[in-house]
Amino acid sequence: MKSMVIIDDESVVIEAIELMVQRAGLDYKIVGTADNGVDGLHIVRRLRPDVVITDIRMPGMDGLTLIEQTTQELPLCVFIVISGYREFEYAHKAISLNVSDYIEKPIDYQSVVAALLRADNLLDARRKVHKIKNVDRARQLEKTEAQNAAIAKVLRYIHENYAQEFGLDELSALVGMTPAYLSGLFKENTGTSYVKYLTAVRMNNAKRMLQKGEKAMAVAEKVGYREYNYFCKVFKKLEGVTPTEYRDQSWDR
C-alpha cells in the first residue's frame, strides 16, 4: 500500500480527498495531513510518503516552496498540486518543478482519482528506474573495489620484487587482467605508467643504499639492473649526477 500526505488550509478539502480515496478503493493509506505549509513540510520530511497532495496557496509556506525543499530529499515522491482557477503563474512553476499533476479547485472525484492513477504509474516507473540505478551503482562499486584491490596487489608486488625482472605481462597475469587494461587502470590510479613507477621505486631504493655507502655497481644489481651502464644513465637522468657522485655527496654531508 502506498502512503499519502494531504496538505491544504481548508479542512473540507482534506476530508473530501480522504473520502474520494476510500470510495475509489485505491491502494493508498493517508498517513498524515496538515493545514499549512510549515507543518506540511515537517510531516513530509518525517513520514517520507510516496505521494503528496498539496494546495499551492497556504499560510506560512506555499505548496511550491514545500516541493522545492523536499524534492531532492524524496526523489521518488510524486507531488500533486491543487490551486484555484486561472492561477497560471503557479501552474507554470509547478510544471518546472516536475509536479505530476495540477488539480483545479473546486476539486471533484474524477480529477482526483485520475491524478492518483497517473501517480501510481509514475511512482512505479520511478521505483523501477531507482532499482536499476541501485543495481548499476552496486555493480560499479564492486568493480571499483576489485580494481582498487588489483592495483594494491600490483603495487605490493612491485615494492617487494623490484629487484627481479618482470614486465606488464607478469603483472597482468597476477591480477587476471589484460596488459592493456591493467596499463590504463594503473595510470588512472597512480598518475603514471607502470614502467615509470617501477623505475622510481628502484631509484629510491638505490639512493637509500648509496647513502649507506654501498658501491654503485652492487647497488645496480640489487635494484634490478643487470647492465651497470644503463643503470648509471637512468640514475643521472633522474638525479642529475652519477650513482657514484650521489654516494660521495651523501657521505660529504
Side-chain angles (χ1 to χ4, degrees), residues 5-246:
V5 165
I6 307 171
I7 308 165
D8 198 295
D9 59 347
E10 298 181 59
S11 59
V12 64
V13 173
I14 294 177
E15 292 170 3
I17 293 174
E18 289 178 326
L19 290 173
M20 291 173 185
V21 172
Q22 291 176 10
R23 176 184 166 191
L26 299 175
D27 188 31
Y28 282 98
K29 180 180 180 181
I30 299 169
V31 295
T33 63
D35 61 5
N36 65 83
V38 175
D39 290 342
L41 178 65
H42 294 316
I43 289 173
V44 169
R45 282 178 165 165
R46 178 168 56 86
L47 299 179
R48 304 179 69 82
D50 297 312
V51 173
V52 173
I53 299 180
T54 180
D55 194 4
I56 289 184
R57 303 183 72 175
M58 296 181 294
M61 177 185 294
D62 66 77
L64 297 183
T65 301
L66 182 149
I67 294 171
E68 282 182 309
Q69 294 194 21
T70 55
T71 188
Q72 294 298 320
E73 301 172 34
L74 305 172
L76 301 185
C77 184
V78 175
F79 292 93
I80 300 171
V81 296
I82 306 171
S83 191
Y85 182 59
R86 293 186 182 279
E87 292 178 339
F88 296 114
E89 69 275 18
Y90 292 112
H92 181 73
K93 187 173 182 181
I95 292 171
S96 72
L97 291 172
N98 201 26
V99 169
S100 169
D101 256 299
Y102 184 90
I103 303 174
E104 289 184 355
K105 288 183 178 180
I107 65 171
D108 61 74
Y109 177 78
Q110 294 297 334
S111 61
V112 170
V113 171
L116 288 174
L117 290 175
R118 286 190 290 270
D120 273 348
N121 293 331
L122 181 56
L123 188 59
D124 289 341
R126 287 181 180 178
R127 284 175 171 174
K128 287 177 182 178
V129 170
H130 184 67
K131 184 176 180 180
I132 291 170
K133 286 183 177 179
N134 282 343
V135 170
D136 289 343
R137 196 176 295 116
R139 286 175 178 169
Q140 184 58 45
L141 181 60
E142 280 184 24
K143 182 180 179 181
T144 300
E145 289 177 347
Q147 290 174 341
N148 290 342
I151 293 300
K153 189 173 184 179
V154 167
L155 293 176
R156 186 167 57 250
Y157 185 89
I158 290 174
H159 282 274
E160 292 176 352
N161 299 277
Y162 63 86
Q164 308 302 318
E165 290 187 9
F166 59 85
L168 195 56
D169 288 340
E170 288 81 2
L171 293 176
S172 58
L174 181 70
V175 292
M177 296 178 176
T178 65
Y181 186 80
L182 177 59
S183 178
L185 187 63
F186 190 94
K187 189 166 187 177
E188 181 182 328
N189 279 264
T190 64
T192 188
S193 68
Y194 119 83
V195 172
K196 289 182 179 179
Y197 189 91
L198 174 60
T199 299
V201 171
R202 285 173 167 171
M203 290 300 108
N204 286 335
N205 280 280
K207 288 190 291 183
R208 177 177 54 81
M209 296 175 191
L210 291 168
Q211 288 168 1
K212 292 180 180 179
E214 295 190 36
K215 292 186 177 181
M217 189 170 290
V219 169
E221 188 170 348
K222 285 183 178 181
V223 297
Y225 289 92
R226 303 297 174 257
E227 296 182 14
Y228 177 66
N229 289 337
Y230 181 66
F231 167 69
C232 292
K233 180 180 178 181
V234 173
F235 192 96
K236 186 172 183 179
K237 182 179 179 181
L238 294 175
E239 300 300 325
V241 294
T242 67
T244 300
E245 289 170 339
Y246 181 88

